[in-house]
Amino acid sequence: MFCYQCEQTAACAGCTGNAGVCGKTANTANLQDELTGALIGLARACDGNSPTEAATKLMIEGLFTTVTNVSFNDETIKELIVKVEKEKERIVPNCSGCGSVCGRNDNYDMKKLWDDNEDIRSLKSLILFGIRGVAAYAYHAMVLGYKDEEVNAFFYKGLFVIGEDWNMEQLLPVVLEVGEINLKCMALLDKANTETYGTPVPTVVPLKVEKGPFIVISGHDLYDLKQLLEQTKGKGINIYTHGEMLPAHGYPLLKEYPHLKGNFGTAWQNQQKEFDNLPAPILFTTNCLMPVKSSYADRVFTTEVVSYPELVHIGENKDFTMVIEKALELGGFSEDTEFTGINGGKEVTTGFGHGTVLSVADKVIDAVKAGAIKHFFLVGGCDGAKPGRNYYTEFVRQTPEDTVILTVACGKFRFNDLNIGEIGGLPRIMDMGQCNDAYSAIKVAVALSEAFGCSVNELPLSMVLSWYEQKAVCILLTLLYLGIKNIYLGPTLPAFVSPNVLNFLVENFNISPISTPEEDLKKILG
């Protein structure tokens, strides 16, 4: 196998041999490559032909399936490959039996990409990994009935380009176009979520688990949470979010369910310890699943594209009866049980989306003008298991009292239980939501730049980001597309960025690797 799409990849170079650091086997990794090659074949088949609705659904589902920590199940990946092949045959019938083979609709051999010139491989990897992240957001929007034809069309374009022999000058604009399309997709998902569940409001979320049966729901898909809340009404079962599902507590429609109680656990990489012998079932709705330990394998359920061998998978009918029965069987804790965040806090706050922050924009602007707020930091992104991520905890801890920290994604679990005070009645740490809610941070930054009559790069705003998987890649590309500079990125730089591509990013966008909190704060604040 060869895989270097996530931050924890072996030796910061690439996972090879029999298994990846994430836990997927070489066979699974190779099947994911085969699926990607089949999707490129589908994109080729649709070049000059109108893609069917079924083809687009497969395109989005297939790309999402190859995101890190989504599917460890060879059988479900094989089934997807067969579906893609059949759809391609419907679009270009009898192609395989053609007497004049042109190769235009052939599946792509991913070994050609991994063995390519390092700069070409780097740019194509940015495109591929970026559109995998975009596909995850498009999938969540699609589940709620929202779609954008321009976004969908780009999946075909991006994959088609990967199969072509293009040079760096041809590929670079497509890399930034991934960022442009992701901005549209994040706006689409923001619209889908807020029109379906309401505009998020600031909400204090306890970390205590009450006695009695409960279910932990992890991932990003609010639709699955809504279905679970409906099916558990009146059954004496409490629901607790985990990981990237935490921001669900801010949505008014979901807050109406009294048995949505709080949040259990921290970020995804701690699940094997936190779920060990947990007296409750866990439902995974999207990525962030880790190889499941035997001590809790009997209580893990998957749905949507998440899949793991021998675990019970809930299909499209969304009948969570087996999850509910398992919760009643296990019974939960016999007494209320106190848990804390990484820093000992007993509660966290979420719900500071762009709707909330912009509703008090006048107060924020006045605070800046009065000198009460001297600087904004966007400290967010993916969490992970590698050493060095305590940098983000210490960075936030050391920020001056006249600064505000905006945060998104699961990286916030490093510091979201810290109590570092308020400014003008607003908490200094504002959780804006899931990784896709980076759109909220962008909206706020643009609004502030307009209010002060300057560019985003001239604002007293610094972005200190952590990355792990492919959704972080497409968000980074969105920031670059918007021309945002001086981004600090860590804990390590992506293995798939070649020295020449890195030089381009440094020269044009001044991207910097993180160093130490003290040094970076001194550099930022002067």
Side-chain angles (χ1 to χ4, degrees):
M1 67 175 287
F2 175 76
C3 183
Y4 66 169
Q5 70 174 357
C6 81
E7 187 270 335
Q8 67 181 8
T9 194
C12 292
C15 292
T16 58
N18 295 321
V21 176
C22 68
K24 68 185 174 188
T25 65
N27 195 53
T28 303
N30 291 331
L31 281 170
Q32 289 186 344
D33 273 358
E34 187 179 338
L35 173 58
T36 303
L39 291 171
I40 292 173
L42 180 59
R44 287 169 161 174
C46 292
D47 183 41
N49 296 295
S50 298
T52 62
E53 188 174 331
T56 299
K57 184 175 184 296
L58 276 172
M59 184 68 75
I60 293 171
E61 185 177 345
L63 285 167
F64 191 6
T65 295
T66 57
V67 168
T68 304
N69 289 25
V70 171
S71 181
F72 296 80
N73 194 330
D74 293 356
E75 296 309 310
T76 56
I77 299 171
K78 289 176 184 176
E79 289 170 8
L80 258 177
I81 293 170
V82 170
K83 289 179 181 179
V84 172
E85 296 284 9
K86 287 182 177 178
E87 191 58 34
K88 187 177 75 168
E89 182 66 23
R90 273 196 285 272
I91 294 169
V92 282
N94 305 316
C95 180
S96 58
C98 176
S100 179
V101 179
C102 66
R104 292 290 292 166
N105 305 316
D106 290 350
N107 292 348
Y108 182 70
D109 183 356
M110 293 296 287
K111 289 182 181 178
K112 291 181 180 179
L113 175 57
W114 308 140
D115 294 337
D116 210 334
N117 166 277
E118 67 172 357
D119 294 330
I120 299 300
R121 181 176 72 172
S122 181
L123 293 175
K124 286 187 175 182
S125 294
L126 280 165
I127 295 169
L128 175 60
F129 303 154
I131 61 175
R132 284 177 175 174
V134 180
Y137 300 146
Y139 186 95
H140 298 317
M142 181 175 66
V143 165
L144 295 176
Y146 289 72
K147 62 182 179 179
D148 184 303
E149 295 302 335
E150 187 178 358
V151 171
N152 291 345
F154 186 77
F155 294 129
Y156 295 91
K157 175 181 177 178
L159 287 176
F160 183 86
V161 166
I162 290 167
E164 295 295 288
D165 294 325
W166 285 20
N167 59 35
M168 288 186 69
E169 288 70 25
Q170 292 171 300
L171 290 170
L172 273 169
V174 184
V175 171
L176 293 181
E177 193 176 355
V178 175
E180 178 185 9
I181 293 298
N182 184 57
L183 182 62
K184 293 179 185 294
C185 194
M186 289 195 298
L188 176 71
L189 182 52
D190 178 78
K191 180 180 180 183
N193 284 336
T194 54
E195 289 187 354
T196 304
Y197 306 112
T199 299
V201 295
T203 304
V204 176
V205 183
L207 303 181
K208 177 180 73 174
V209 175
E210 297 180 11
K211 67 178 181 180
F214 67 98
I215 297 169
V216 174
I217 181 167
S218 188
H220 307 69
D221 206 302
L222 302 179
Y223 174 79
D224 290 322
L225 173 58
K226 174 69 162 54
Q227 302 309 305
L228 182 64
L229 289 168
E230 275 293 315
Q231 293 178 40
T232 50
K233 279 196 305 189
K235 288 185 167 61
I237 299 173
N238 291 328
I239 307 298
Y240 292 86
T241 56
H242 171 263
E244 283 269 64
M245 197 65 82
L246 166 64
H249 291 274
Y251 287 93
L253 184 63
L254 300 176
K255 286 168 64 68
E256 291 177 2
Y257 293 89
H259 58 300
L260 178 61
K261 290 290 186 177
N263 190 74
F264 173 81
T266 52
W268 66 273
Q269 77 278 0
N270 299 318
Q271 66 190 254
Q272 290 179 325
K273 176 179 65 177
E274 294 174 344
F275 294 163
D276 195 35
N277 296 307
L278 187 71
I282 306 104
L283 174 64
F284 277 91
T285 67
T286 58
N287 58 310
C288 300
L289 174 68
M290 292 181 72
V292 181
K293 293 174 62 177
S294 59
S295 61
Y296 61 89
D298 66 325
R299 58 206 66 187
V300 177
F301 298 81
T302 60
T303 191
E304 299 294 353
V305 297
V306 190
S307 189
Y308 196 87
E310 300 181 9
L311 296 187
V312 175
H313 187 79
I314 311 297
E316 292 183 2
N317 63 352
K318 298 300 176 185
D319 182 355
F320 294 122
T321 299
M322 294 183 71
V323 187
I324 292 168
E325 289 175 346
K326 179 60 73 171
L328 294 171
E329 173 196 330
L330 293 170
F333 294 111
S334 58
E335 299 292 338
D336 290 357
T337 304
E338 297 280 355
F339 292 94
T340 66
I342 288 177
N343 305 288
K346 295 184 178 181
E347 61 187 26
V348 294
T349 304
T350 190
F352 285 92
H354 62 87
T356 292
V357 177
L358 293 181
S359 71
V360 294
D362 55 339
K363 294 181 181 178
V364 174
I365 292 166
D366 289 344
V368 173
K369 289 179 177 177
I373 297 177
K374 294 283 180 61
H375 207 89
F376 296 88
F377 295 98
L378 174 60
V379 185
C382 309
D383 205 355
K386 271 189 178 179
R389 287 182 178 266
N390 60 326
Y391 164 95
Y392 298 94
T393 310
E394 291 308 312
F395 186 95
V396 170
R397 228 191 264 274
Q398 294 179 34
T399 54
E401 293 180 358
D402 54 6
T403 60
V404 170
I405 293 89
L406 308 175
T407 188
V408 293
C410 64
K412 61 177 166 272
F413 282 101
R414 292 277 170 174
F415 53 79
N416 67 341
D417 65 320
L418 287 172
N419 182 2
I420 60 171
E422 297 182 346
I423 298 178
L426 295 171
R428 285 188 55 221
I429 298 177
M430 298 186 193
D431 175 14
M432 308 191 86
Q434 298 178 341
C435 54
N436 49 281
D437 291 312
Y439 177 72
S440 278
I442 291 168
K443 290 271 287 186
V444 169
V446 170
L448 288 174
S449 70
E450 291 173 352
F452 289 109
C454 64
S455 71
V456 171
N457 290 316
E458 293 172 312
L459 285 172
L461 168 67
S462 300
M463 299 194 179
V464 184
L465 307 180
S466 57
W467 82 282
Y468 170 72
E469 42 89 321
Q470 296 74 66
K471 286 180 281 184
V473 175
C474 64
I475 290 170
L476 176 62
L477 294 180
T478 293
L479 297 175
L480 300 185
Y481 160 72
L482 292 170
I484 294 174
K485 299 182 178 182
N486 305 313
I487 297 170
Y488 289 76
L489 184 64
T492 59
L493 294 177
F496 51 82
V497 175
S498 69
N500 285 333
V501 173
L502 178 60
N503 286 339
F504 173 84
L505 297 177
V506 171
E507 290 173 6
N508 289 274
F509 300 99
N510 199 27
I511 286 184
S512 302
I514 59 172
S515 56
T516 66
E518 295 82 4
E519 290 175 6
D520 290 344
L521 279 167
K522 184 178 179 180
K523 191 186 302 182
I524 291 168
L525 299 175

